[in-house]
Amino acid sequence: MARSALTITAATFTATAALLLTACGGGGDDSAPDDIEGAGAGASSSAPSASASSSTPPGVERPVIKLPGSFQLTFEDWTSSDAQQQAVLNDAKEELRAGYAAIIANDPDSAAVAFYDTDSGRSQSKKWIKSYTDKNVTVIGKLPVFDPRVTVLDGGTTASLGYCTDESEAYTKHRKTGKVEGNPADMDPEVYYLVTLRKSSQGVWQNASVRSERGECAK
């Protein structure tokens, strides 16, 4: 369930970042399940119900991200006392939510994902989303996102974000057959991600690239 790895070539980034099944963050307490509305059994194959994130920052109008109850994406300690770092965390969270919402809605061309990605980031995200939709599978279960660590660079225009995910209770489900699959028993369920973000002219922190390493989360 891991997000496709992309080698980061920018010399300024020394930290490292991956997403769900075959698919990380650090700061305050935001461990409640992410905006979940109604989708019961079988809802993973249909468009998710609407609910805006409670942590969506003010300013430019952000898209409403939708997730069903069949997939619980939680963000643990996803806060910072630094306002700039918090802005990075807020937008990175919404990009991740948008990506999974696109997988569940079977929508590789999601406008919400495009809003939170640069052109290069959008290309990588679409490839990741299609790795599910091309196989006619969706995602179900629970995916905690935790231990975020943010560094803001280049005078506040670039940032790196490292975080971890735990895929122990995250699964893929085939839309037609209903077959559910998880990671092999001998595979480390924790994946470390390093995300490079750029601040847009509108002040939105957009994903430029994502790199992942399974089993590299700090203990």
Side-chain angles (χ1 to χ4, degrees):
M1 188 170 274
R3 198 162 184 165
S4 300
L6 176 68
T7 301
I8 297 176
T9 58
T12 52
F13 292 99
T14 57
T16 32
L19 284 177
L20 190 60
L21 288 183
T22 112
C24 301
D29 187 9
D30 187 13
S31 58
D34 190 35
D35 309 313
I36 297 165
E37 275 187 20
S44 59
S45 62
S46 61
S49 56
S51 179
S53 169
S54 60
S55 65
T56 300
V60 63
E61 184 176 354
R62 263 77 172 168
V64 174
I65 311 299
K66 307 172 182 181
L67 288 173
S70 54
F71 182 67
Q72 298 182 28
L73 186 63
T74 59
F75 293 80
E76 302 174 5
D77 297 327
W78 207 257
T79 62
S80 172
S81 58
D82 181 272
Q84 193 170 50
Q85 291 184 2
Q86 187 61 55
V88 174
L89 290 170
N90 288 342
D91 284 341
K93 173 182 177 179
E94 293 306 294
E95 196 275 347
L96 191 55
R97 293 180 69 247
Y100 281 113
I103 291 171
I104 294 167
N106 200 24
D107 181 17
D109 296 311
S110 165
V113 175
F115 180 88
Y116 284 108
D117 282 349
T118 64
D119 289 344
S120 61
R122 176 67 185 127
S123 176
Q124 186 186 9
S125 292
K126 186 172 182 177
K127 182 178 180 181
W128 167 59
I129 294 166
K130 285 176 65 65
S131 72
Y132 293 86
T133 60
D134 285 355
K135 297 175 183 177
N136 203 24
V137 298
T138 184
V139 291
I140 60 173
K142 301 178 181 180
L143 184 70
V145 186
F146 58 96
D147 195 20
R149 303 187 184 189
V150 182
T151 302
V152 179
L153 304 165
D154 299 337
T157 61
T158 305
S160 65
L161 167 63
Y163 64 86
C164 290
T165 62
D166 184 347
E167 301 175 352
S168 299
E169 298 182 70
Y171 310 93
T172 59
K173 180 179 180 179
H174 196 276
R175 298 177 190 276
K176 184 175 181 179
T177 67
K179 183 178 181 180
V180 174
E181 293 186 281
N183 289 333
D186 60 349
M187 179 179 287
D188 194 319
E190 293 191 349
V191 182
Y192 176 71
Y193 290 88
L194 177 64
V195 185
T196 302
L197 303 100
R198 311 286 184 193
K199 193 173 184 179
S200 75
S201 59
Q202 292 182 308
V204 178
W205 284 98
Q206 297 178 314
N207 276 22
S209 66
V210 179
R211 183 170 122 190
S212 64
E213 294 288 342
R214 185 173 295 279
E216 291 300 314
C217 291
K219 304 298 183 184

